[in-house]
Each structure stands twice: as structure tokens, then as C-alpha cells.
Amino acid sequence: MPKRPSPSDEAPPTRAKTLELPLVALRETVIFPEMIVPLQVGREKSVNALNAAVAEGGPIALVTQRQAEQEDIGETSELYEVGTLAKIAQVVQLQDGTVRAIVQGQSRLRLHRFSSTEPYLRGVVEEVSDDTPAGLEVQALMRTVQAQIEQYVANGAPVPPEAAVAARNITEPGLLADMVAYSPDMTTEQRQELLETIDVIERLKLVSNFLARQIEILELKGRIQSEVKSEMDKTQREYILREQLKAIQRELGEDDPQQAEINELRDKVEQAGMPEEIKTRAIKEIDRMSRIPSASPEVGVIRTYVDWLVGLPWDVKTEDLLDIKEAAKILDEDHYGLEKIKERILEYLAVRTLADEIRSPILAFVGPPGVGKTSLGKSIARAMGRKFVRMSLGGIHDEAEIRGHRRTYIGALPGRIIQSIKTAGSNNPVFMLDEVDKIGMDFRGDPSSALLEVLDPEQNFSFQDNYLEVPFDLSKVLFVATANLLDPIPAPLRDRMEIIHLPGYTEQEKIEIGKRFLIPKQMKNHGLSAKTIEITDEAMTELVRSYTKEAGVRNLEREIANVMRKVARTVAEGRKRKTVVDVKRLVEYLGPQRYEYGELEAEDQTGSATGLVVTEVGGDVVAIEVTKMEGKEDFILTGQLGEVMRESARAGLSWTRAHASELGIPRSTFENNTLHIHVPAGGIPKDGPSAGITMATAIVSALAGIPVRKDVAMTGEITLRGRVLPIGGLKSKILAAHLAGAKMVILPRKNEKDLRDIPDEIRKSIKLVLVDSMDQVLEAALRRKPKALVAEPAKIVTGDKPLDPEPEKEDRVRRTTFPPAEQPPVVVQRNVAPRASERVVARD
Ligand SMILES: Nc1ncnc2c1ncn2[C@@H]1O[C@H](COP(=O)(O)OP(=O)(O)OP(=O)(O)O)[C@@H](O)[C@H]1O
Ligand SMILES: [Mg+2]
């Protein structure tokens, strides 16, 4: 509220003039001298006053009401004391009875009293003109106010920019101060106060204060705005744009695909049953995704990542079937024979069901291709009611394949372990690590070390995949490994495994497997039934003998499938009658027999003996040849023989030489001849000691000129003194000898304990000669006995007699120093060309 200056304070007005004239009371408006304003007048008294003034041709008094809402003014106290004397420039009568006038302020006035109040107000007023003070203070004040006006305008005051120029040109200090009243920032009260401030210097100070305050407000406002704006620039701008985009899409009836996706991902995360920390992680990623524009490639990266997180079976677990009898039934349903192995598996399952927490070793099936390693794994899963996944380690060189690539790589994915777990869809599958012996190692890191972590129960409850970045619990997974050979498996891995050997099947077993499993399976696969096809027993035997040569049954299955295909075709072509596949039909369907039954020499040979070896694809027979030539060289060894094999050849030769007289070999033979020993399949490296007795036999035969029986195969290491030491892989070797048609197998007596693994039917058809010394070998193998050879009788095992309950404990040849129980490998090729995929590395 402006203060009303009391009469006693007033400076005596210079050029004071008292007038009596019509008066208009103003509402919410204060008019200043020199101000030209349109005036809308509606009240009857005011209209009358205007008209009277126009009629008188004189000025009019304009005084502001104290209460804007008051309709009728009757007392001077209801008006402010100071008003404005104004000239009427124009009056327009409007149709609604109101009047629009344009008035121009001339000077201030002071209202003394009303001379009349009807029909309009007339007042006795005193005109108050500005004095024009001079001096430095006024000058300084004027400049200050002018500068302030400029700044006020510059800071964005709500006045036209010309105001600053106008202010500069005003020379009268009173007018300059009055000019500020144009500012809309000024309230009616402030304007009235300004009007009432008659003293020019005071008036300048008043507006200067007012301006300073306004400038400050504007600056503050500017600062706040710019802060808000910069904040807006970063996030709000995008937000606003996106909101607008959404609005547009809504208008167009399209949903925001990214938002929909984000919502969907959030739902998925909620339902995935993840551990809390992983859920938090996933939500964080989704939040990040919602903040980046949908066109950014990062969105796809995050989406894939979150999809992986939600896709994993964090809490999906299958219930184990704990019934061991049922499990036994399932194992029998899927596999023929393999009794010992099935028993072992059942024991293993029994232990697991009794003590879930127990840290059982990883089962590893080792054996040649097609013996059922992989399918046994599947069977275990079926017996336990678990999911089955298989991961081949063949040719994996890179650790990242197992453990995944970091997300910073383009196109990064989790490693194969996590991928397989996702495929399994449960966190406790039977997980088969196929071909652990084929795992590689090079500059890209050692994948087997990653595998170690997977298999180690101390670590695998929080397996770290590089891509996933969060741990996954693998401790409930049942790992099973397979391998063709034991040796190439890295030792630390082998340590964690319980090895179960599957050496291969006998002919009879293969026939049974064929009849009971492979034929029914392939029949089903080819849409045939017992009504449309029958394979005779003879044909089945022929299939095994003459169309396949393998330790397992994979090729057999393939050949059976071939036969089925041919028959299926005739059925498709309309044949109604049953096709009986006998040997004749077999030849028709599959072409002539591929393998001679038996690979042994057709005749007794001098200088050649048949050895037994184990290759990656099972046991095999190999003929070792020796010839003597005239000449005085040392002897020649060919066929890519390794150091151990060369040494055992030398040992054989030395033994022969030392026993030349008993063997009936003239001394001169050694002096005048060169021996050449060759182990066929010269292109393939071979090594190991188990061909020792075979080489010695071939040497004796060549030098003494005595033929070796054609149906004998042998295996055993030889010492310099003619002792025969045990070898490994006996079952595979005897299966191979049987397959090749051998009637007799000579083997080390120390291997007698291994005979329990040999099926009875084979023992029935093969005579097993258990020997301790080279003499016994020669006695059994050679067509006739050298003159002076004395051999203790060898132990002979035949199928009609049961095996000794406990093999002999006493070691007649003490092996205290070497070689260890497991023999170093012999590398020999099979007699048939290997499949391209097979690596021919063998051991015994
Ligand atoms: N004892 C058996 N009874 C029934 N079927 C068998 C038996 N052994 C193997 N098979 C069948 O032989 C085929 C080949 O077996 P599988 O694939 O398990 O061989 P594998 O030992 O894993 O060979 P690889 O080392 O080449 O992987 C499968 O169809 C399997 O069902
Ligand atoms: Mg397999």
C-alpha cells in the first residue's frame, strides 16, 4: 500500500493552480503525465463526467479508487489523494452505452474535495507540476535508471525493446522515472506510490530500487531456466521426443514396439525363477535398454543377453526316478549284453540315489566306435528320468568355445556348456562330454582347463561363463564322458573320471544286437514290419562277417539300413508279399562280400608271424615279415617303427642268436646275412613292446627255415632272456583274432586274469596258450619243433574247461623295474583301409 503523504510533509508546490473540474474514478489503473492511454468507461457517472469535460472543452481529473470493486464513489477518502490531470483526445460512444476515450496525462494533481457528486463527480483539485532539480545526484540517478532500464530490457523484461532507447532520450528526470510505470511488472499500488512521489529525486530512487529488484528476479529466472534447460537437453529432450513419438504412434494405432518388448522382457525376468542377484542384473540391463534409442545396435545386444539369462533353467529341475529295478529294466531294453557295465552303472546310480551330495567321479566310457558309448549315456538319462544333452569336444581348440566370449566381442555368445544347458532345459541333465580324447590345445588357450572347472565339484556350483558374467550352478548335472582311447585324455581330466572299458563285441554278440535291436529299429525307421521283411540268420551272420569289420555295430546298423531301404523301395513300388532276405538277396542288395572272413595267411608261412594289436577302432591282426638276404649289414627295420618296437626287435634277434644251436641255426647264418624286418602298413607309425614275441617268432622262422602255423596269432613282450611279459587290451585282441579266424592265440601267462572278460563262446572256438617263455611260444607256433628246443609245457585254456577260480598269484618273472602295468602304445594299422574319419593311432 502506497503511503499517503501527509499535508505537512509536502514541499510547497511551485506553480500551484487550483481547478474545479469533472472527475473520473479509475479502477486498477494509474495514469501518469505524458502517458496516452485508451480509457474504457462504463459507469454512468464516469460517462457523464467525460461528456461534461468534452462539453467544457477542458481537462478532466483522473483519480484511482482505493477499492477497485467499489461501484459508487461518494467520499474523497474513497479515492487516492493524488491523481492525474488529463486532456481528452477522443471520445467514442459505443452502442452498449459505454464510452471509449483516449486521454493524455498532463500533470499530477492533488484532490481536495468534491464540489458535487451528482450526476457526476466534480472535484476541487490542485495541479502539481514537477520541479526540475539539477546537480550531480540527479544526473547520476538518471544514468543509473537509464542503465537499469537497458539491462532490464536486455534480461528479457516484458516491455518492447524500444523502451531502452526511449529512456536514453528522456532529459527530464521526473518523466524518466514516470516512464518505468509502463512496466507490466509494476502493481497498481506501486504505480500509485510512484505517482504520489512528488519529489523527483525520491521518485528516481524509488524506480531504481524497483528496477534493481526486477533485474535480479530476471537474472535468477534466467539461471533457473538455463539449468532446467540443460537438464532437459540431455534426457528430457529425448524423453519428450519419445513421448511425442508414442503419441503419434497411438494416433496411428500403432503400439510402441520397444516399450512392448521391454515390458515383455520384464515379465519374462519375473517368471524365470532366477536367483535374486541375477534377477537384479537382468533388470538393470533392461533399464539400460529402455534408456537408449531403439535404433541403437546396443538394444539388440542387450536383448540377446537378457534372452539368454531368462532362457536358462535356473530353477527348472527334473525329478529323479530312484527305482533301481526300473533303471535295470531300461538299460536292458536299450542294450544287449554289457552286463558288467550295466551293473557298474546301476551301482553308480544306487550310490547317487542314496547320497545325493556325494561327489561321485565322472563316468567315462572308453572304447572303439559304435560300441554304444553314446547310447549308454542316453540310456542312463532315460533310466534316471533326466534330460540328455551331448557336447562333442572333438576339435575344440579354443577355451572360449567352452566358456564363451566376452560380451565386448561382436556376435558373442555363451560357451557350449551353457548352450547345452539351455538346450537341456533343466539344470540337472545327463551331460555327455563326447570325444574327450579329441580335445585340442593351442595358442587360443587350453580348453581342458575350462573342462576341469566344469567337472570339479568344488568349483562347478558357480561356473563362470564369459558371456553370461553371472555364475551358473552345474553341481546338479550328471556328467558322463566318452573316448575312443584313454591315452590322449589330459591326465588331470582322466584323474576325475572312473574309466569303464567297452572293448567291442564278438561276432555272436553282434548278431544278437543286430537281431534284437538294430533290425527292429531300422524296420521302424523305414516303415517296414515283420509282415514285409525277414532277414534270415544266415544272412545276419553273413552281414557281420563279410560286410563289416569293426569292433562296434555302427557299420552293421548302416548295412542293415541299406537292406531295409532296398526292401522299402519294393514295398513302395507295390510289392505285397514278404521279402525274405537270405544270403543270395544280400549279395544282390549289397554287392559282393567285402571282407574275407579271417585275415590270416592262407598257407603256413616261413618268416611271417601274426601279431595282435589294438587300434582306435578296436583290436586287429597284423602280419610281421622277416627275410634274410646275403650281405653283412646290421639288420633293417621298416614300417615306421618307434623306438620301443625297434628295441624289442633287437631283443628278439639277440635272443635268437644266443639260442642259435638249440634252434638249429648255423652260426654262419648270422655272419653272412642281413635281416629285414617289416611291419606292414608302412605309412603308419607304430610303437610298443607287445609285438616282441611275434617278431622273435618270425625271425626264428626265417633263419631256421621252419614255417609258422597259419592259424596262430600272438601277443606278448619279450625280454633278452626270452621271458614273456604281459600286455594290455587283451579282450580286444582276442576278439580280433577270433574275427580273423585264428584257432590259437598265444598270450602271456601273466594276462590270465584278463581271461574272465573273454566271452565263453570265443574260448570255445579258440585255444588259448599261456606262456612264460619264448621256448613255449615257438613250440606252439612253429609247424615243427626245432631239434634241440626244450620247452616246459605251456598252460592251455580251452572253452570246455572252466577258468581257474583265482589266477596264479606267484610271479615267476618278477617285474620290479619295468615296464609299468600299462604298456606304452603300439601303433599299427588294421588290415583294412581305415575310414577317412579314423585316426589310426593304436595301443595295446
Ligand atoms: N549293446 C548294444 N545293444 C544295442 N544296441 C547297441 C549296443 N551297442 C551299440 N548299439 C547301437 O549301435 C549304435 C552306435 O552306438 P553309439 O553311437 O552309442 O556308439 P559310440 O560308442 O558312441 O561310438 P563313437 O565312439 O563313434 O561315438 C547305436 O545305434 C546303438 O544303439
Ligand atoms: Mg558316440
Side-chain angles (χ1 to χ4, degrees):
M1 249 309 151
K3 141 173 131 239
R4 195 160 15 147
S6 65
S8 58
D9 290 346
E10 267 163 46
T14 40
R15 296 173 280 144
K17 193 162 84 181
T18 303
L19 303 164
E20 195 276 340
L21 52 153
L23 184 148
V24 170
L26 301 178
R27 286 164 152 169
E28 300 277 14
T29 314
V30 181
I31 290 169
F32 283 81
E34 299 299 316
M35 199 183 260
I36 298 171
V37 275
L39 205 60
Q40 192 78 27
V41 179
R43 285 182 284 185
E44 199 190 339
K45 275 190 181 175
S46 305
V47 173
N48 290 341
L50 264 178
N51 288 337
V54 171
E56 286 165 22
I60 188 163
L62 302 172
V63 188
T64 306
Q65 291 177 203
R66 288 183 194 272
Q67 308 289 335
E69 57 283 0
Q70 193 174 342
E71 238 350 89
D72 191 35
I73 300 295
E75 304 280 335
T76 47
S77 61
E78 287 160 4
L79 299 178
Y80 285 116
E81 208 175 328
V82 177
T84 313
L85 194 69
K87 207 164 75 182
I88 298 169
Q90 199 185 43
V91 176
V92 181
Q93 305 276 347
L94 297 176
Q95 285 190 337
D96 60 357
T98 63
V99 173
R100 230 176 93 103
I102 295 192
V103 296
Q104 184 180 15
Q106 289 191 309
S107 65
R108 286 173 165 74
L109 61 79
R110 198 180 292 279
L111 173 65
H112 290 305
R113 60 186 160 82
F114 291 142
S115 52
S116 71
T117 54
E118 295 296 336
Y120 57 92
L121 296 173
R122 288 191 75 91
V124 177
V125 301
E126 176 194 337
E127 189 182 352
V128 183
S129 307
D130 284 351
D131 53 349
T132 33
L136 286 177
E137 194 187 4
V138 182
Q139 290 294 315
L141 273 171
M142 279 186 73
R143 282 201 203 149
T144 305
V145 170
Q146 280 164 338
Q148 280 177 316
I149 291 176
E150 259 167 49
Q151 199 183 347
Y152 180 50
V153 171
N155 282 5
V159 295
E162 302 85 70
V165 184
R168 275 249 167 262
N169 295 331
I170 293 176
T171 48
E172 269 188 63
L175 272 184
L176 176 64
D178 286 349
M179 199 198 146
V180 176
Y182 281 101
S183 162
D185 290 331
M186 217 176 228
T187 62
T188 307
E189 285 73 24
Q190 283 173 324
R191 288 203 182 98
Q192 183 64 34
E193 188 185 357
L194 183 61
L195 191 69
E196 288 176 7
T197 309
I198 309 292
D199 185 273
V200 173
I201 290 182
E202 285 307 312
R203 208 189 297 166
L204 282 171
K205 286 182 184 164
L206 186 71
V207 297
S208 176
N209 272 338
F210 169 80
L211 287 171
R213 196 175 158 71
Q214 293 306 317
I215 288 167
E216 211 173 299
I217 290 172
L218 283 179
E219 269 174 4
L220 198 62
K221 202 167 133 195
R223 237 187 354 260
I224 292 170
Q225 266 178 357
S226 75
E227 269 168 28
V228 169
K229 189 162 169 286
S230 70
E231 191 60 18
M232 280 251 298
D233 279 351
K234 276 202 255 82
T235 52
Q236 298 296 92
R237 210 181 94 84
E238 267 181 31
Y239 173 78
I240 289 169
L241 285 177
R242 205 168 297 128
E243 287 301 307
Q244 285 173 346
L245 181 67
K246 273 190 221 160
I248 291 169
Q249 280 168 335
R250 262 198 305 280
E251 279 304 307
L252 293 173
E254 295 165 4
D255 285 333
D256 174 7
Q258 196 186 353
Q259 191 55 44
E261 191 179 1
I262 283 168
N263 293 342
E264 191 188 326
L265 276 182
R266 267 186 223 282
D267 288 350
K268 279 196 203 162
V269 168
E270 289 301 329
Q271 285 153 21
M274 311 169 164
E276 208 46 49
E277 58 179 293
I278 288 150
K279 188 167 155 186
T280 317
R281 177 67 198 262
I283 297 281
K284 221 171 96 190
E285 292 288 331
I286 296 175
D287 285 347
R288 197 156 72 84
M289 180 170 161
S290 65
R291 282 195 305 269
I292 48 183
S294 59
S296 158
E298 183 73 355
V299 169
V301 173
I302 298 176
R303 184 195 307 125
T304 316
Y305 177 70
V306 176
D307 273 341
W308 268 105
L309 284 186
V310 298
L312 288 177
W314 298 98
D315 72 343
V316 186
K317 188 174 169 230
T318 54
E319 269 316 306
D320 279 354
L321 303 173
L322 301 179
D323 189 342
I324 296 295
K325 279 210 197 90
E326 188 61 26
K329 213 181 102 205
I330 289 175
L331 288 182
D332 280 339
E333 262 169 36
D334 293 347
H335 293 93
Y336 174 82
L338 302 174
E339 299 310 334
K340 271 169 91 177
I341 289 147
K342 286 178 189 167
E343 223 162 87
R344 181 65 198 94
I345 292 173
L346 291 176
E347 280 166 23
Y348 184 83
L349 297 186
V351 173
R352 279 202 66 122
T353 52
L354 288 181
D356 197 25
E357 295 301 305
I358 213 161
R359 300 229 174 98
S360 35
I362 283 88
L363 287 185
F365 299 126
V366 178
V371 294
K373 300 182 296 295
T374 305
S375 70
L376 267 177
K378 283 189 195 156
S379 236
I380 292 179
R382 199 158 87 86
M384 292 181 84
R386 291 193 180 201
K387 298 268 173 59
F388 177 83
V389 271
R390 186 179 150 265
M391 162 182 169
S392 178
L393 295 165
I396 290 192
H397 291 271
D398 193 346
E399 194 186 341
E401 285 205 50
I402 290 180
R403 218 192 253 289
H405 281 288
R406 300 209 164 277
R407 262 205 293 161
T408 42
Y409 288 84
I410 291 174
L413 279 182
R416 300 250 220 118
I417 298 279
I418 290 296
Q419 294 193 17
S420 305
I421 290 288
K422 186 176 177 186
T423 314
S426 81
N427 61 19
N428 63 339
V430 171
F431 195 127
M432 175 156 274
L433 301 165
D434 239 350
E435 309 191 347
V436 271
D437 54 338
K438 312 277 192 315
I439 196 165
M441 189 200 298
D442 61 14
F443 60 94
R444 283 164 291 191
D446 178 1
S448 67
S449 72
L451 260 198
L452 273 184
E453 190 190 320
V454 171
L455 299 181
D456 187 350
E458 302 283 351
Q459 299 179 51
N460 70 9
F461 63 88
S462 69
F463 172 70
Q464 281 282 353
D465 183 276
N466 289 330
Y467 176 84
L468 232 47
E469 292 171 8
V470 292
F472 191 90
D473 181 1
L474 293 177
S475 63
K476 299 190 196 76
V477 176
L478 176 67
F479 287 101
V480 181
T482 80
N484 289 131
L485 293 176
L486 201 51
D487 275 326
I489 306 178
L493 268 184
R494 204 164 49 198
D495 257 16
R496 286 176 167 70
M497 298 174 172
E498 171 165 344
I499 309 293
I500 294 181
H501 287 280
L502 287 95
Y505 298 112
T506 64
E507 185 180 290
Q508 202 48 47
E509 282 171 333
K510 287 185 196 170
I511 292 171
E512 287 304 321
I513 294 173
K515 287 208 284 202
R516 295 182 200 207
F517 292 89
L518 308 181
I519 291 180
K521 185 160 128 196
Q522 293 304 330
M523 252 179 358
K524 212 169 129 216
N525 287 354
H526 290 83
L528 298 173
S529 73
K531 285 206 195 83
T532 41
I533 184 171
E534 182 194 327
I535 298 181
T536 66
D537 286 358
E538 292 70 35
M540 196 60 220
T541 310
E542 192 62 14
L543 261 177
V544 171
R545 282 188 180 171
S546 306
Y547 288 89
T548 64
K549 183 173 167 61
E550 58 178 348
V553 292
R554 174 151 315 126
N555 288 330
L556 180 62
E557 185 166 14
R558 198 171 297 146
E559 294 306 332
I560 290 173
N562 271 344
V563 170
M564 299 281 171
R565 230 181 359 261
K566 306 270 189 220
V567 176
R569 185 173 161 189
T570 64
V571 173
E573 282 168 357
R575 187 183 161 98
K576 291 273 174 309
R577 284 199 302 131
K578 172 154 138 186
T579 309
V580 177
V581 182
D582 53 13
V583 177
K584 208 173 123 242
R585 268 248 157 69
L586 210 58
V587 178
E588 198 181 296
Y589 285 160
L590 302 179
Q593 282 89 338
R594 267 168 242 165
Y595 303 106
E596 286 276 304
Y597 178 58
E599 296 282 337
L600 300 183
E601 306 287 355
E603 305 285 326
D604 290 352
Q605 298 278 327
T606 302
S608 168
T610 304
L612 293 170
V613 295
V614 179
T615 71
E616 198 171 54
V617 293
D620 208 345
V621 295
V622 61
I624 296 179
E625 301 167 346
V626 177
T627 54
K628 75 173 187 220
M629 306 167 284
E630 278 182 25
K632 217 17 258 109
E633 258 177 78
D634 203 17
F635 75 147
I636 308 169
L637 281 165
T638 53
Q640 287 220 37
L641 311 183
E643 207 44 49
V644 178
M645 208 162 193
R646 290 172 165 273
E647 281 170 6
S648 58
R650 279 187 180 280
L653 180 60
S654 299
W655 180 84
T656 311
R657 219 170 154 162
H659 294 81
S661 59
E662 290 123 275
L663 298 170
I665 305 169
R667 227 137 266 288
S668 57
T669 311
F670 294 98
E671 271 137 39
N672 305 327
N673 287 290
T674 295
L675 275 191
H676 183 171
I677 303 179
H678 179 66
V679 185
I684 288 124
K686 319 161 183 80
D687 203 0
S690 84
I693 63 170
T694 321
M695 287 194 283
T697 304
I699 290 170
V700 171
S701 165
L703 295 180
I706 306 172
V708 179
R709 289 172 192 271
K710 63 176 195 285
D711 52 4
V712 173
M714 62 189 86
T715 176
E717 181 179 349
I718 184 177
T719 74
L720 254 193
R721 295 170 54 216
R723 291 283 166 206
V724 180
L725 302 186
I727 46 77
L730 189 75
K731 184 176 175 190
S732 304
K733 286 178 175 175
I734 291 185
L735 291 183
H738 173 68
L739 210 59
K743 294 281 173 311
M744 182 198 294
V745 171
I746 302 173
L747 62 141
R749 173 113 163 196
K750 300 289 289 304
N751 279 104
E752 188 174 357
K753 61 178 191 322
D754 300 328
L755 294 183
R756 317 197 147 264
D757 297 341
I758 313 295
D760 288 347
E761 82 212 49
I762 287 192
R763 286 201 294 110
K764 279 193 192 111
S765 64
I766 289 188
K767 184 163 139 191
L768 300 172
V769 179
L770 281 71
V771 297
D772 287 311
S773 70
M774 199 53 216
D775 302 336
Q776 293 168 324
V777 174
L778 292 178
E779 161 134 46
L782 295 183
R783 178 54 66 199
R784 62 192 152 72
K785 196 170 138 181
K787 265 185 258 150
L789 186 78
V790 207
E792 275 181 44
K795 178 164 181 175
I796 297 194
V797 177
T798 48
D800 42 7
K801 277 181 277 167
L803 290 172
D804 285 349
E806 185 71 5
E808 276 185 38
K809 281 240 172 66
E810 192 215 345
D811 272 2
R812 278 205 262 161
V813 181
R814 289 225 169 266
R815 291 176 61 173
T816 45
T817 48
F818 77 96
E822 280 288 318
Q823 305 276 317
V826 159
V827 185
V828 187
Q829 198 202 11
R830 312 191 299 158
N831 284 359
V832 280
R835 281 182 275 153
S837 62
E838 289 167 8
R839 288 189 315 174
V840 185
V841 177
R843 63 164 283 121
D844 66 355

